[in-house]
Structures are given as structure tokens and as C-alpha cells.
Amino acid sequence: MSKQATLQIRVDETIKQQAEQLFETIGLSTSEAVRLFITQSINERRLPFTPHLNNTNGSVLAFGKLRHYGNPELVGDERSAWLQTQNEKPKRDRTRSTAPDKQDVAIVDETILLRYLLDDDSRQSAKAYRIIVSKCAQTYPEVVARAVYLLEEDYHVPRSLIGNVIPLLASDLSIQDSTAIRLAARLYAGNRLSFTDCLTAARSTLTGYHAESFNKQLSKILS
């Protein structure tokens, strides 16, 4: 029988309580969770997760916000516990004061947005992060709509969470018609309309133009 040793660590009391609550939701004590972490680190000969630096200046808000939906191995209780941590609102957004040079602008598609939000591929997500952080990344409403569709259909991200994350994404990069995108995201979180339908409703609201549709749900919002 191997000899047992005692490990003592010091952490902030608030962090300790949050950790205990999280571990309880997945049926572990804090001691069991620490033992699991150490054992898994030894078995894999590395940290059993990819560490990321927390942004402290508010310049990036959305990176990795949906990473738990990019990992199909996570069970429902783990996701539920993680979702509770997503209610904190960021303190400030990034703003660009000067127009960028053309060579500094990168137009990105939905694959970049998905890797950026889901952080589910170490190489591609890191590249997506660098593109959005180091360049003046730019995208368009149709790209956002495609990303939203894939997040819900392929990754099963709740509409309410998508509605919270898209405005953060709009703070991390330049999105054409971003005001409509933000309003559409709020609408999307509260009904079953597609994101493109929500964009139609948002643009109607913002421009004051009357919109027509044979879609009964959309017409109800437009009326």
C-alpha cells in the first residue's frame, strides 16, 4: 500500500466557496477534484486543460465564452454549473479611435467566429484569437447569422446564451450594422425566430421603416 501524503494549499475564501459549489454539482468533494486534477496531469503528462490568460484591460470580451459547448464530453451538470459563471457583465468595451490601414484589416468568416467563441481547437482557436486581437477584424451580418445558426444547430448552445454572447462579439471586432446585430441578438434570445428574421425586425425598429412578411411570428413582432 502506497504511503499517503497531505497537500495543503491557500486560496481566497470566495474562490474556495465557488469551487466547492461547482464540484458539488458534479458529485465531487474539493479533495477529490484536486486528486483528480493531479492524477490526470500525471497520466497525460501535461495540464488536463488549455490555460488562457484572462484579459485585464477589457479589450477582448467574447473569446472562449462558449468553449464548454465546443467540448462534447462535458455532461449537463458541468455545463449548468459553468453557465452560472457567465452572468457577469463586462465592465467596458473596446473602441477604435482611428481608421485602420487596409493591410491591417482582416475580413473573417463564420469558421473564425466559431473557433474564437468555442475555443475548441488549440491551433485554430489560437489563430482566430490572434487575428481578432492583433488585426482590425471585420465581418458582416450574414456571417454572424450563419455562425448563430451553427451554434444552435450543431453545438446546441441555448438561444439565451447566444443572445448574450453576440453583443460581446460585436465589441471584439467590427461588424457591419452592429447596432442592428445587438438588437437582433436580444430578440433572438427571447423567441423562436431565425437570426435573419430578428435582423429584419431590428432594422425595422431602428430605421422606422415598415416591414412586411408572410412569416406569422415575424409579423407579430413587426406589428
Side-chain angles (χ1 to χ4, degrees):
M1 182 176 179
S2 61
K3 185 178 180 180
Q4 299 293 305
T6 299
L7 175 66
Q8 292 183 324
I9 58 174
R10 292 183 179 275
V11 297
D12 180 84
E13 178 64 26
T14 300
I15 293 177
K16 176 177 178 291
Q17 292 175 358
Q18 291 175 342
E20 288 173 342
Q21 292 173 0
L22 170 62
F23 297 144
E24 184 179 357
T25 65
I26 55 178
L28 294 174
S29 67
T30 302
S31 296
E32 290 170 334
V34 172
R35 281 197 295 271
L36 180 62
F37 169 79
I38 294 173
T39 302
Q40 194 68 14
S41 296
I42 294 172
N43 289 341
E44 297 186 18
R45 301 184 65 82
R46 64 180 182 86
L47 290 177
F49 57 85
T50 303
H52 297 280
L53 291 175
N54 288 328
N55 190 286
T56 58
N57 60 11
S59 63
V60 173
L61 303 177
F63 179 68
K65 275 290 186 180
L66 303 180
R67 66 169 55 96
H68 277 54
Y69 287 88
N71 184 349
E73 296 179 358
L74 289 176
V75 297
D77 286 344
E78 289 174 290
R79 284 183 176 172
S80 297
W82 171 79
L83 282 172
Q84 294 176 9
T85 69
Q86 301 305 300
N87 294 326
E88 297 182 2
K89 295 184 178 180
K91 294 183 178 179
R92 56 176 178 165
D93 294 347
R94 177 174 64 177
T95 58
R96 296 188 176 98
S97 57
T98 58
D101 294 332
K102 287 186 177 180
Q103 61 266 30
D104 293 329
V105 175
I107 295 177
V108 299
D109 70 356
E110 71 274 10
T111 64
I112 299 293
L113 300 186
L114 290 175
R115 298 291 76 75
Y116 181 76
L117 293 172
L118 294 164
D119 190 19
D120 56 349
D121 182 291
S122 58
R123 183 179 62 84
Q124 292 186 356
S125 295
K127 183 175 181 179
Y129 178 88
R130 289 195 301 271
I131 290 171
I132 290 177
V133 170
S134 63
K135 290 181 176 289
C136 294
Q138 180 173 312
T139 196
Y140 299 90
E142 62 270 22
V143 175
V144 176
R146 176 64 177 166
V148 167
Y149 173 82
L150 293 172
L151 286 172
E152 183 175 12
E153 293 298 317
D154 291 358
Y155 295 93
H156 311 294
V157 182
R159 294 171 72 97
S160 58
L161 184 54
I162 294 174
N164 288 331
V165 167
I166 294 303
L168 301 182
L169 181 66
S171 297
D172 286 352
L173 76 165
S174 174
I175 303 178
Q176 188 182 67
D177 208 359
S178 63
T179 302
I181 288 288
R182 293 171 188 270
L183 178 54
R186 292 202 298 270
L187 294 173
Y188 183 81
N191 62 68
R192 298 304 304 171
L193 290 172
S194 70
F195 193 78
T196 52
D197 284 339
C198 291
L199 266 175
T200 298
R203 284 168 171 155
S204 175
T205 298
L206 293 171
T207 62
Y209 295 156
H210 182 67
E212 295 285 354
S213 174
F214 290 122
N215 183 323
K216 292 182 178 179
Q217 285 185 303
L218 177 56
S219 296
K220 187 175 181 179
I221 291 179
L222 294 172
S223 60

